[in-house]
Amino acid sequence: IKHYEAALSYAPKEASTYAALGLTYHLLGRLEEAVEHYHNALGLKPEDTFSHEMIYKALEESYSGLGLGKLQKSRHHEMSMQ
C-alpha cells in the first residue's frame, strides 16, 4: 500500500494506480477504502472497465455484509460496460 501511495504522490492522475490500490484494499477486506480508490480511478478514466466491475463487486460485498441482499446492476452500468 505504501508503494502505491508513493507512486500517487509522483503521478496523482494515474488511474491504474488508484485501481491497483483499490484492488489491494479489496483483497484485504477493506471495502470502503477499495470503493474510494475505484471511484478515484473512474473519475480519471471513466471508461475503465476493470474499475467499473470491481467497484460493483466491492459495493455488492458491502451490501451483502450488511444483510441488504444483492445489488442489481443498473441499465446504465450494463450499457457502460459494453
Side-chain angles (χ1 to χ4, degrees):
I1 292 173
K2 69 180 180 178
H3 296 291
Y4 287 129
E5 290 173 346
L8 285 173
S9 71
Y10 292 107
K13 295 192 179 200
E14 188 59 49
S16 63
T17 306
Y18 283 106
L21 196 49
L23 179 60
T24 302
Y25 281 119
H26 198 157
L27 293 172
L28 292 171
R30 294 166 60 176
L31 300 175
E32 188 174 321
E33 291 157 299
V35 167
E36 178 184 342
H37 286 87
Y38 293 141
H39 188 265
N40 289 338
L42 290 168
L44 294 168
K45 189 177 176 188
E47 70 280 3
D48 180 2
T49 56
F50 174 79
S51 292
H52 270 282
E53 193 60 34
M54 295 310 293
I55 198 170
Y56 175 81
K57 287 180 184 206
L59 288 169
E60 185 174 53
E61 289 173 32
S62 293
Y63 279 37
S64 66
L66 294 173
L68 299 175
K70 292 190 73 140
L71 287 175
Q72 292 184 349
K73 288 186 180 180
S74 71
R75 183 167 156 74
H76 173 76
H77 177 79
E78 292 292 331
M79 291 176 65
S80 70
M81 297 299 291
Q82 296 177 356

